[in-house]
Amino acid sequence: MLYAITVSAGLETIARQELSERLGSDTGHLKILGRKPQRILFEYTGNPRELLSLRTAEHLFLILKQIPKMTRSRSSLTAFSGALSRFNFKEAFACCRQMGINTWKRMPFRVTSRLSGKRNFRRVDLQRVVERALIERGWYSGSSKSALDIWAEVHGDDGYISIKLSSNDMAQRPYKQAHIPASLKPTLAYSMVRLSRPHPEDIFLDAMCGAGTILLERAFIKRYRYLIGGDVSTEALDATVTNFGRQHQPRQFFHWDAQNLPLGSNTVDKIVCNLPFGETIGDVSELTRLYRQCLTEYERVLRPRGRMVLLTSQNTLLDDTLKQRRSLRVTQKLTVDVRGMRAWMSVVCPKTR
Ligand SMILES: C[S@@+](CC[C@H](N)C(=O)[O-])C[C@H]1O[C@@H](n2cnc3c(N)ncnc32)[C@H](O)[C@@H]1O
């Protein structure tokens, strides 16, 4: 069967790596077919329920039909109705049932449509073409919970007709009970943790842990030696404690200022941190000082073979701060989208290696 996962902009490479590593090319079940902006297409012959465990994915789709050579012209919409009028739903329905989605001969459905690029038709035109084609197959349009979620999309030269298999909360995590403003999406936190190259012997630090998303993603990914989190805000720390519950030992949380860490030098293997973007700290000189002091502390506590992954929208500020710290170098940088804002994930290592 042909599937697609959608991911936040900038996470395509990491998502592809996660797919291969976790659902394995070596099992013979997986064949990755392509990577498009915010989308990975792949064939998978294993149980589709396993795909719901992907931690980079926002949504999971079963692709019914991929329609090539879409143009600007309205006439290219006929390819959608043509594809649906002949489509045999037998295998697709079997896949839905494996996912716990009921199917009937007269299937209730709703259509969501998405378009990008310049077209001589509107999103609603695409939606109506697909609705009409399904009604002609004896299905009926409905908004009940049991209605099948059909997606019709046109991006670049490609059209897709898919069934959305994931619920809206695929990318949410059950652990995230308590929230704070500017809390990181778990899919982004997971991606940062992957970039830190998790190792079972890691002493892992997030010195500005907010609601604990990064620490929890680290806890779920692999064994570790110790998790350390801290924050200047007691509300944030309370959220971390709530989200952890009794699980994931050993760990310790501190109410601290990350500019002055009560940790020994060369004691931490990995630092993964979502730095403040400056939305609440309006004063540039204050933000500059915060970045400088934190980086000094991070460098001090990090082991010579350690690794940091830092997320910020303040790319120039972070680069300038790192340039002043001659013993650190950026080894990788990804541009990502955070709450509609452009931000950067930087992997930073001591130069001694
Ligand atoms: C962008 S949020 C991090 C969100 C977190 N990654 C999450 O998913 O919830 C930044 C956090 O840094 C904390 N913070 C800001 N300045 C700090 C400082 N000097 N020391 C420690 N924490 C600080 C804030 O209280 C806030 O919780």
Side-chain angles (χ1 to χ4, degrees), residues 180 182-184 207-211 213 231-233 256-258 274 276 290:
I180 58 152
S183 194
L184 195 58
M208 300 187 181
C209 67
T213 324
D231 204 288
V232 77
S233 145
W256 66 25
D257 182 346
N274 171 198
L290 176 71

Side-chain angles (χ1 to χ4, degrees), residues 179-196:
H179 296 265
I180 58 152
S183 194
L184 195 58
K185 265 206 224 176
T187 51
L188 284 159
Y190 171 81
S191 302
M192 291 178 74
V193 169
R194 271 191 80 92
L195 289 172
S196 78

